[in-house]
Amino acid sequence: MPADPAFDAAPPVADPLPVDAIARSLRIAAGDADGQDYPAATLYVIATPIGNRADITVRALACLVRVDAVAAEDTRTARQLLHHYGIDKPMVAAHRHNEHEAADALVARIAAGARIAYVSDAGTPGISDPGARLAAAVRAAGHRVLPIPGPSALTTALSAAGLPEGPVLFVGFLPAKAAQAATMLKSLVATAAHLVFYEAPHRIVDTLTAIGSVFAGRRCVIARELTKRFETLHRCEVEEATAWITADPQRRRGEFVVIVEAPVDDDDGGLAHALPILEKLGAVLSVSEAASLTAEITGVSRKALYAEALKLRAAS
Ligand code: SAM
């Protein structure tokens, strides 16, 4: 591989851990982070890691150090997380089942001048997680709600999926009942956007099977265990997704984001653009391999490409 002058010019890294830079960022974040400080009488909605604990932001840590109390979806999970960073704070439970009542007590504390943090179990509160009701109650009472952004499985999956730029619709979890899930999927078929679903391991096979039948001809990305040891991102035709996930029991473990790619908006499904590539690959590979590889490169349906590859082979 030829040398890249931009990289060659970079000085060698003496210490693989930029400890000074991290300490400097923490000092900045703890003080006046880019002109935004930590006002009193405020709810801080803080995103936390979705797996890798190193993904907490320095601003989140600085904020957690400053607050008077932490309201959490699960106080045990939050305590473990804070403990990992050497932070100890009074905790209050605020989950789906008590968010309303918890909000009243927290609004009263904020009205008295407290800084309160809210953290869900993982990722960004309010994204398939509690936190929205509390934020609404604090805002309705005339107090400030300050977001401290950070990880979310939604943005993490999208950032590595490599999809064509365009609108994205976050669906989250499908309804638990199969009939309702199928109705919701069907209602999304004509939506001209990438569709993002969350799924748990015990339902991933059913969900991928339903997606495979409703969105036939489209492609999907299965993002599993993001930021964790067994992180996997697999892109395939939706019809192939169930076979892929059932081929190895390990693939069904963990947490999932499934992205169904937006329909290709040109009349022929992108075929015209893909044909020259298919023709070149078809000259050196089998029909099946050429179709699969062209689908991988172009995002066009493998089924359509396979049919075209057969025609090309017959004509040659
Ligand atoms: N608030 C979180 C966020 O911002 O992403 C989502 C919480 S929701 C209760 C949990 C779901 O998010 C999981 O079932 C899975 O679909 C997705 N998820 C969370 N962490 C994940 C990870 N590390 N890899 C893949 N999906 C993940």
Side-chain angles (χ1 to χ4, degrees), residues 7 11 21 50 58 92 95 97 100 111 116 132 137 170 178-179 192-193 246 250 257-258 278-279 304:
F7 283 101
I50 57 166
V58 286
V92 185
H95 43 73
H97 308 293
H100 202 65
I116 303 287
F170 177 61
T246 50
Q250 292 298 333
V257 179
V258 179
L278 182 69
E279 206 168 344

Side-chain angles (χ1 to χ4, degrees), residues 281-282 284-291 313:
L281 292 176
V284 290
L285 297 173
S286 72
V287 166
S288 169
E289 287 168 334
R313 186 58 56 94

Side-chain angles (χ1 to χ4, degrees), residues 50 122 124 127-129 152-153 173 198-199 225-226 255-257:
I50 57 166
T124 301
I127 303 203
S128 292
D129 257 349
S152 173
F173 290 102
Y198 278 178
E199 199 44 278
E225 291 290 86
L226 291 164
E255 302 187 275
F256 294 87
V257 179

Side-chain angles (χ1 to χ4, degrees), residues 91-302:
M91 296 265 170
V92 185
H95 43 73
R96 256 185 203 90
H97 308 293
N98 80 337
E99 202 176 344
H100 202 65
E101 305 86 79
D104 289 344
L106 290 167
V107 167
R109 288 187 70 174
I110 289 169
R115 293 176 180 85
I116 303 287
Y118 184 76
V119 294
S120 59
D121 282 357
T124 301
I127 303 203
S128 292
D129 257 349
R133 278 195 205 155
L134 177 58
V138 172
R139 200 178 293 285
H143 307 296
R144 220 170 146 180
V145 179
L146 216 144
I148 308 287
S152 173
L154 163 67
T155 48
T156 307
L158 282 169
S159 70
L163 305 181
E165 212 178 302
V168 172
L169 178 70
F170 177 61
V171 184
F173 290 102
L174 286 168
K177 294 206 168 114
Q180 287 170 6
T183 305
M184 177 177 267
L185 289 175
K186 283 178 196 147
S187 76
L188 294 166
V189 169
T191 304
H194 302 306
L195 308 171
V196 185
F197 300 91
Y198 278 178
E199 199 44 278
H202 66 283
R203 291 188 5 156
I204 189 67
V205 175
D206 289 348
T207 295
L208 288 179
T209 305
I211 283 176
S213 61
V214 173
F215 296 99
R218 307 239 306 247
R219 294 174 64 75
C220 67
V221 174
I222 303 165
R224 168 180 168 257
E225 291 290 86
L226 291 164
T227 77
K228 301 185 198 175
R229 187 167 167 211
F230 295 109
E231 179 177 79
T232 315
L233 274 119
H234 179 74
R235 193 172 176 207
C236 62
E237 306 269 331
V238 291
E239 295 96 322
E240 294 163 358
T242 304
W244 180 80
I245 202 119
T246 50
D248 177 351
Q250 292 298 333
R251 291 182 186 161
R252 271 168 273 165
R253 297 224 171 121
E255 302 187 275
F256 294 87
V257 179
V258 179
I259 308 174
V260 174
E261 296 185 24
V264 181
D265 67 2
D266 47 6
D267 289 346
D268 67 351
L271 208 53
H273 158 73
L275 276 180
I277 300 169
L278 182 69
E279 206 168 344
K280 284 208 167 58
L281 292 176
V284 290
L285 297 173
S286 72
V287 166
S288 169
E289 287 168 334
S292 296
L293 201 51
T294 310
E296 185 76 37
I297 296 166
T298 60
V300 172
S301 154
R302 185 188 173 280

